[in-house]
Amino acid sequence: MRRRKYDDKKVDNIIPEGFLWGGAVTSFQTEGAWDQGGKGSSIVDARPIPEGFSDWKVAVDFYHRYKEDIALFKELGFNAYRTSISWARIFPDGEGEPNEEGLQFYDDLFDEFLANGIQPVITLYHFDIPLALAEKYNGFASRKVVDLFEKYVRTVFGRYRNKVKYWLTFNEQNLFLTQPQLLGVKVRDENREALSYQAVHHSFIAHAKAVKALHEIIPDGKMAGMITYMTTYPISCKPADVLANVKAKELLIDFYCDVFANGEYPTYVTSDLQKKGIMTVFEEGDAELLKENTVDYLSISYYQSQTVKSVEQSDELIPGITPNPHLEANEWGWSIDSIGLRVALKDMYARYRLPIFITENGIGVQEELDENQTVVDDYRINYLKEHIEQMKLAMEDGVEVFGYLTWGSTDLLSSQGEMKKRYGFIFVNREEQDLRDLKRYKKKSFNWFKNVIASNGEQLEDITESVSR
């Protein structure tokens, strides 16, 4: 292994051959074709649209333009690309018989990726439960939905067993405790905490059933548990602030990874639930299922860090989270902290000794094409460069990272329906309400990231020139 000098700004390349480079998106933020190909409605399709935002009916029209986009990804040098399968494309109402037209769409999509040397990395659930299951069963509040999820995943594993190796169950599963609506669950204030924990438990059981099914159907397949890792620091060295940070991290991060990797609930969760009298209901066999179906690797999205302060009283489930006054933030208030990624990687690997796949990292910025039909996005280049440098330093410390995917390769709608929040190397010509022509244009960062991949992460300096398409 090549060793770096004692200068954190100069990192010798230690990234192994076969490292996975690429981008990441969701089906609902890119595909469009919301009612085509036999697709049913999801909870995303039924969301109220704030004034000035977009719905997801067209998105960036990846459903019809994926060959054009994949050609650009090949030019970038991608060898991996993460997207999600729309559950409602496969089972329009969440149950019944699978929709062959939806299955064939993903067959064709994965074939196109593979023909261009790109491994599909597939998320099974990205906040988009079929609407019928939310309305009929209250989403993952019901064990019935766990069974239907297992039917869905076994269907897609059987269909794509020779095409997809790397899988993720739930996107950012650690968001479900504070945002149970992402599981299609409606809760009342009087039972919010208890029902939220129960829905999270059902997502853990669904996750374990998916791990079990994958290892039965695709023996060499690899399954991850995935979280969004928000690094937290105590706001001061006061012991009360340090303890508050420990407790916040337990519910933000550790709870989920402990279940993914160790196959059991940690005692800091069970003791708290017992004290509150809201202990999660485990059905017969649940504990064994979790214990016997741990993950092959861990996956994270990483965007920002925060600080935590001690608060005496709060109605918040995770109280005291506050912005770090020492960091700059983007236009949406997300702090920029590349060292926080290194902290996250070192902590995860020390605790679990599992390979880590960074499946989202990036910065959203409002952008428009300039007179040269491009975007000179030096800020994106700098942001990604600094995060890759910190990833490499963590790897030099012994952390096993096997892939790095940026969020959004083309621009895409944000999860709230904002086209103005642009992440991609490729500008998509549309606005919130005006679809324009949806034409694709390369940003300056396109050639920069192409050089990063071609050098397997060794060439991080900006030697690019602005390009257009």
Side-chain angles (χ1 to χ4, degrees):
M1 178 185 293
R2 295 173 63 188
R3 297 291 179 184
R4 65 176 173 87
K5 298 176 183 178
Y6 289 96
D7 178 356
D8 282 1
K9 294 181 180 178
K10 294 181 180 180
V11 186
D12 289 336
N13 196 45
I14 62 161
I15 296 176
E17 292 300 315
F19 191 83
L20 298 177
W21 295 100
V25 300
T26 77
S27 56
F28 78 82
Q29 291 169 268
T30 56
E31 284 178 7
W34 72 288
D35 61 350
Q36 297 178 37
K39 179 182 174 295
S41 293
S42 75
I43 57 172
V44 174
D45 298 315
R47 283 185 195 168
I49 307 300
E51 184 177 354
F53 284 56
S54 175
D55 58 31
W56 292 269
K57 292 182 178 178
V58 176
V60 294
D61 199 30
F62 184 71
Y63 187 87
H64 298 107
R65 298 169 182 253
Y66 68 82
K67 289 187 178 182
E68 173 190 356
D69 287 346
I70 290 173
L72 287 167
F73 303 157
K74 181 180 181 180
E75 185 180 346
L76 269 164
F78 284 7
N79 60 7
Y81 189 79
R82 176 187 168 212
T83 187
S84 60
I85 292 175
S86 168
W87 187 352
R89 279 204 193 281
I90 309 303
F91 289 94
D93 294 320
E95 43 194 337
E97 295 303 311
N99 170 37
E100 176 57 32
E101 199 170 350
L103 288 166
Q104 189 60 50
F105 167 72
Y106 290 110
D107 258 324
D108 295 341
L109 176 63
F110 299 159
D111 285 345
E112 188 71 15
F113 276 125
L114 293 168
N116 285 276
I118 300 170
Q119 286 196 59
V121 177
I122 300 303
T123 310
L124 291 162
Y125 182 86
H126 203 124
F127 310 156
D128 60 347
I129 189 172
L131 180 61
L133 299 186
E135 294 178 338
K136 186 175 180 180
Y137 301 112
N138 198 19
F140 277 90
S142 168
R143 286 291 291 226
K144 175 68 174 177
V145 170
V146 175
D147 295 335
L148 293 170
F149 181 79
E150 182 181 16
K151 178 180 179 181
Y152 152 63
V153 302
R154 285 184 174 273
T155 299
V156 298
F157 290 159
R159 182 72 172 229
Y160 310 124
R161 62 195 308 161
N162 298 318
K163 299 182 181 184
V164 181
K165 178 178 179 180
Y166 292 103
W167 298 83
L168 301 83
T169 48
F170 291 88
N171 179 70
E172 298 179 338
Q173 196 162 346
N174 55 330
L175 295 182
F176 297 156
L177 185 59
T178 55
Q179 301 179 61
Q181 69 272 16
L182 299 175
L183 287 169
V185 176
K186 291 182 180 179
V187 296
R188 300 185 304 274
D189 288 343
E190 61 267 25
N191 71 345
R192 182 175 185 85
E193 188 172 2
L195 185 54
S196 296
Y197 269 104
Q198 193 65 50
V200 167
H201 178 70
H202 291 165
S203 75
F204 280 138
I205 296 303
H207 159 85
K209 285 178 177 285
V211 175
K212 183 175 187 291
L214 179 73
H215 291 156
E216 289 173 358
I217 298 170
I218 312 176
D220 63 342
K222 304 296 181 184
M223 182 67 83
M226 193 266 192
I227 62 166
T228 182
Y229 200 114
M230 184 171 70
T231 301
T232 60
Y233 313 108
I235 199 166
S236 80
C237 57
K238 293 178 182 177
D241 290 333
V242 174
L243 180 60
N245 182 60
V246 168
K247 294 173 84 170
K249 180 175 177 287
E250 285 176 344
L251 288 188
L252 283 169
I253 307 296
D254 300 341
F255 174 25
Y256 308 88
C257 293
D258 284 352
V259 175
F260 296 151
N262 300 329
E264 60 187 13
Y265 275 45
T267 55
Y268 55 79
V269 170
T270 55
S271 61
D272 186 55
L273 294 179
Q274 287 166 351
K275 280 186 224 172
K276 292 176 177 176
I278 56 171
M279 183 60 199
T280 300
V281 176
F282 275 60
E283 291 194 1
E284 185 177 354
D286 280 2
E288 293 77 11
L289 184 71
L290 293 175
K291 194 68 177 176
E292 294 169 4
N293 295 284
T294 53
V295 296
D296 301 299
Y297 66 102
L298 292 170
S299 166
I300 63 167
S301 65
Y302 178 81
Y303 294 99
Q304 62 173 317
S305 66
Q306 295 274 36
T307 63
V308 181
K309 62 182 178 181
S310 174
V311 294
E312 300 234 345
Q313 290 185 336
S314 174
D315 294 330
E316 298 293 324
L317 191 59
I318 308 174
I321 295 175
T322 184
N324 190 329
H326 302 290
L327 296 174
E328 295 182 359
N330 73 0
E331 297 164 84
W332 280 264
W334 292 19
S335 62
I336 299 171
D337 179 12
S338 59
I339 292 175
L341 174 60
R342 184 177 172 191
V343 171
L345 294 172
K346 286 173 64 65
D347 177 73
M348 289 183 76
Y349 196 70
R351 287 175 67 98
Y352 304 111
R353 297 289 178 178
L354 284 172
I356 301 170
F357 194 173
I358 302 168
T359 52
E360 292 182 31
N361 178 232
I363 185 168
V365 180
Q366 296 191 59
E367 298 170 325
E368 277 292 351
L369 291 174
D370 64 17
E371 66 276 9
N372 296 314
Q373 300 295 282
T374 189
V375 177
V376 181
D377 54 344
D378 292 324
Y379 42 82
R380 178 167 292 109
I381 292 170
N382 290 334
Y383 177 97
L384 297 175
K385 172 180 176 288
E386 290 172 1
H387 282 75
I388 294 169
E389 285 175 339
Q390 293 298 324
M391 174 189 75
K392 291 171 68 175
L393 286 167
M395 294 172 73
E396 192 161 276
D397 287 339
V399 178
E400 185 181 355
V401 181
F402 67 92
Y404 174 85
L405 308 181
T406 67
W407 179 247
S409 307
T410 63
D411 291 337
L412 73 170
L413 286 170
S414 79
S415 59
Q416 305 304 312
E418 293 176 288
M419 194 64 209
K420 64 185 177 184
K421 191 176 186 181
R422 295 178 179 271
Y423 282 91
F425 303 113
I426 301 160
F427 184 93
V428 177
N429 190 35
R430 67 155 290 181
E431 295 180 332
E432 265 69 21
Q433 305 297 323
D434 184 359
L435 293 178
R436 296 180 178 173
D437 59 9
L438 293 166
K439 189 174 179 182
R440 275 59 166 157
Y441 297 87
K442 301 173 188 174
K443 302 177 189 178
K444 182 181 180 183
S445 58
F446 183 100
N447 273 1
W448 172 80
F449 199 55
K450 179 179 179 179
N451 290 333
V452 171
I453 297 173
S455 67
N456 198 29
E458 190 159 9
Q459 177 57 56
L460 295 178
E461 297 306 315
D462 180 13
I463 57 172
T464 64
E465 295 181 0
S466 297
V467 293
S468 62
R469 180 177 187 271

